[in-house]
C-alpha cells in the first residue's frame, strides 16, 4: 500500500504542475482511471478540461487521442472504417481515434445521438464492432468527455444510457483569485501538458488497477450503499433512482478511493465522498422537465440530503 500511495502521489503532483489549484478534480480523475471508469466533465470553456486529460495521459506515457465532436461527425469517424485494397482485393480495417488508451471526447453533446452511441460498446465492453468483426481495445482504456453547459444551440443532451456509462460527472470550476493571479503573472513560464515527463508506466497503472480489485469491502459497507441507492428510488424528489450498475460503480470507485489514500480496505468516508460525483448524473429530479439545465445541481443537493439522513456504519 505504501508503494501504491507513493506512485499515486507522484502522479498527482505531476498533473498539478499543469492543472493549478484544482486538486479535487485531479484526484477524481485519477480515481476514475484507477477504477477503470470513464469521466464526464461539464464546465465552461477555458478552465482546463482538455489540459487535465492530456496531462493524465502524458504522466503515464499512454496513447492519447482527441476527438472534436460536431454535428456532422459520423460513427465511422470515431470507430474506424474498412477500406478496399484493389491490389490485394480485400478490405483493410483502418482504426479510428477510439483505439487509444485515453480518448478525449471534446464537446460530446455537439454530436448526434447516433455518433454518441458509437461510444457505448467501447465504454462498456472495451471493444468496437465494425462490419461484423469485433476489435478489442487495449488496456487501459478511458473516455474523458466534456460538454459546455451554457450553450444549448446545436447540442444533443446525452441520453440516460450514455450518462450511466460514466463513472463520474464533475466540474472543474474557476480557479481562485490567487491561482489565477499566478497564471497571469507566470504565464510565460507555465508548463503545458506536452512539457510533462511520464512518472509511471502503463504496467504501473495496470498493476494499480489490479490492486483496486483486491481492496477489501466489508458487508456492512455493501448495506450502506444499498441504503443510499434504495433511498434514491423511494424519495419523492426523484423520478428515476440509481440503477444496479450505479451501485456497482460506486463500490468500484470507493475501492479506488481507498487505494488513492493508501489503504487496502474501504471505509464509509470513501463512499460518502464519492456519492455525489458518481450518483448525481444517474438520477432524474421531478423538476427535470421544467428546468433541464439544472439537473445535476438539483440532484447533487438531493443526494447530499440523502447522505445526511442515512446512518453511517461504524
Amino acid at each position: 500500500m505504501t508503494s501504491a500511495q507513493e506512485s499515486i502521489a507522484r502522479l498527482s503532483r505531476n498533473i498539478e504542475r499543469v492543472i493549478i489549484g484544482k486538486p479535487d478534480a485531479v484526484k477524481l480523475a485519477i480515481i476514475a482511471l484507477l477504477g477503470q471508469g470513464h469521466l464526464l466533465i461539464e464546465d465552461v470553456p477555458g478552465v482546463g478540461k482538455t489540459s487535465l486529460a492530456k496531462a493524465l495521459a502524458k504522466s503515464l506515457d499512454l496513447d492519447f487521442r482527441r476527438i472534436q465532436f460536431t454535428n456532422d461527425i459520423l460513427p465511422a469517424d470515431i470507430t474506424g472504417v474498412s477500406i478496399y485494397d484493389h491490389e490485394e482485393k480485400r478490405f483493410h480495417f483502418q482504426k479510428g481515434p477510439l483505439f487509444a488508451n485515453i480518448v478525449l471526447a471534446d464537446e460530446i453533446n455537439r454530436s448526434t445521438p447516433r455518433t454518441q452511441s458509437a461510444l457505448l460498446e467501447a465504454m462498456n465492453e472495451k471493444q468496437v464492432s465494425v462490419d461484423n468483426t469485433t476489435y478489442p481495445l487495449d488496456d487501459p482504456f478511458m473516455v474523458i468527455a466534456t460538454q459546455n453547459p451554457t450553450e444549448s444551440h446545436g447540442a444533443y443532451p446525452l441520453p440516460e444510457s450514455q450518462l450511466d456509462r460514466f463513472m463520474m460527472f464533475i466540474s472543474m470550476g474557476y480557479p481562485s483569485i490567487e491561482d489565477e493571479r499566478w497564471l497571469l503573472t507566470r504565464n510565460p513560464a507555465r508548463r503545458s501538458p506536452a512539457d510533462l515527463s511520464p512518472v509511471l508506466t502503463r504496467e504501473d497503472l495496470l498493476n494499480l488497477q489490479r490492486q483496486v480489485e483486491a481492496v477489501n469491502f466489508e458487508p456492512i459497507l455493501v448495506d450502506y450503499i444499498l441504503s443510499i441507492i434504495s433511498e434514491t428510488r423511494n424519495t419523492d424528489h426523484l423520478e428515476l433512482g440509481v440503477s444496479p450498475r450505479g451501485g456497482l460503480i460506486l463500490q468500484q470507485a470507493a475501492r479506488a478511493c481507498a487505494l488513492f489514500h493508501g489503504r487496502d480496505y474501504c471505509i464509509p468516508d470513501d463512499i460518502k465522498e464519492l456519492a455525489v460525483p458518481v450518483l448525481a448524473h444517474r438520477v432524474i429530479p421531478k423538476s427535470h422537465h421544467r428546468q433541464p439545465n439544472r439537473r445535476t445541481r438539483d440532484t447533487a443537493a438531493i443526494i447530499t440530503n440523502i447522505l445526511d439522513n442515512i446512518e453511517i456504519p461504524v
Side-chain angles (χ1 to χ4, degrees):
M1 288 298 104
T2 301
S3 175
Q5 188 177 25
E6 289 174 353
S7 297
I8 295 170
R10 191 160 65 249
L11 175 61
S12 297
R13 289 194 299 269
N14 201 53
I15 296 173
E16 288 173 9
R17 295 170 64 186
V18 172
I19 308 301
I20 306 300
K22 294 298 172 185
D24 291 340
V26 172
K27 176 182 178 180
L28 292 176
I30 292 175
I31 288 175
L33 180 60
L34 293 175
Q36 302 181 53
H38 307 287
L39 183 65
L40 178 59
I41 310 175
E42 182 179 84
D43 220 319
V44 297
V47 294
K49 302 186 294 294
T50 300
S51 294
L52 175 59
K54 288 182 177 179
L56 189 62
K58 188 71 174 179
S59 298
L60 293 161
D61 199 21
L62 298 176
D63 289 334
F64 174 81
R65 297 290 186 276
R66 177 179 179 269
I67 307 171
Q68 182 63 52
F69 280 71
T70 58
N71 57 10
D72 60 349
I73 194 171
L74 299 175
D77 296 327
I78 299 172
T79 60
V81 64
S82 294
I83 299 177
Y84 186 71
D85 188 318
H86 289 278
E87 292 184 359
E88 297 185 11
K89 299 187 184 307
R90 66 187 185 94
F91 286 92
H92 291 278
F93 178 63
Q94 298 295 320
K95 294 181 178 180
L98 203 54
F99 287 83
N101 297 125
I102 294 183
V103 176
L104 174 63
D106 213 357
E107 293 191 289
I108 188 174
N109 57 332
R110 292 292 174 197
S111 65
T112 61
R114 179 185 177 189
T115 302
Q116 292 173 6
S117 66
L119 289 171
L120 284 175
E121 182 183 13
M123 294 173 68
N124 205 49
E125 307 294 338
K126 291 187 178 180
Q127 64 184 32
V128 171
S129 296
V130 178
D131 295 336
N132 297 321
T133 303
T134 298
Y135 302 91
L137 298 171
D138 291 336
D139 283 328
F141 175 72
M142 181 185 192
V143 172
I144 300 179
T146 72
Q147 58 183 20
N148 183 352
T150 60
E151 295 182 23
S152 58
H153 180 70
Y156 301 85
L158 294 179
E160 303 307 319
S161 59
Q162 190 88 32
L163 285 171
D164 207 37
R165 263 62 175 192
F166 287 98
M167 174 175 275
M168 294 187 202
F169 182 110
I170 69 170
S171 294
M172 299 284 289
Y174 290 115
S176 67
I177 294 298
E178 289 305 314
D179 290 329
E180 197 158 10
R181 178 179 289 111
W182 187 93
L183 292 174
L184 291 171
T185 57
R186 297 289 299 276
N187 188 57
R190 182 191 174 196
R191 290 182 177 272
S192 70
D195 296 324
L196 294 178
S197 298
V199 294
L200 296 177
T201 66
R202 174 179 173 272
E203 288 303 320
D204 291 333
L205 174 59
L206 293 176
N207 182 53
L208 290 172
Q209 290 181 337
R210 286 190 290 268
Q211 290 187 58
V212 168
E213 298 292 340
V215 170
N216 186 46
F217 204 88
E218 293 291 338
I220 193 171
L221 297 180
V222 173
D223 293 337
Y224 186 41
I225 287 182
L226 289 173
S227 297
I228 295 171
I229 63 177
S230 177
E231 187 61 27
T232 66
R233 299 167 186 170
N234 296 323
T235 179
D236 293 334
H237 300 292
L238 296 175
E239 287 186 5
L240 179 69
V242 177
S243 68
R245 182 192 286 123
L248 290 169
I249 290 179
L250 178 57
Q251 182 185 49
Q252 182 73 357
R255 282 194 167 106
C257 185
L259 188 71
F260 185 95
H261 291 292
R263 288 182 271 103
D264 62 354
Y265 58 90
C266 282
I267 61 175
D269 285 348
D270 297 326
I271 298 170
K272 192 168 184 178
E273 179 182 353
L274 298 178
V276 170
V278 172
L279 301 181
H281 62 289
R282 303 177 191 278
V283 297
I284 298 179
K286 291 288 180 69
S287 61
H288 174 60
H289 298 296
R290 295 192 298 272
Q291 296 175 302
N293 292 333
R294 294 188 59 191
R295 170 176 174 173
T296 51
R297 192 190 316 167
D298 289 348
T299 53
I302 294 170
I303 297 296
T304 301
N305 184 64
I306 288 174
L307 293 171
D308 292 340
N309 287 282
I310 292 179
E311 184 178 355
I312 300 176
V314 295

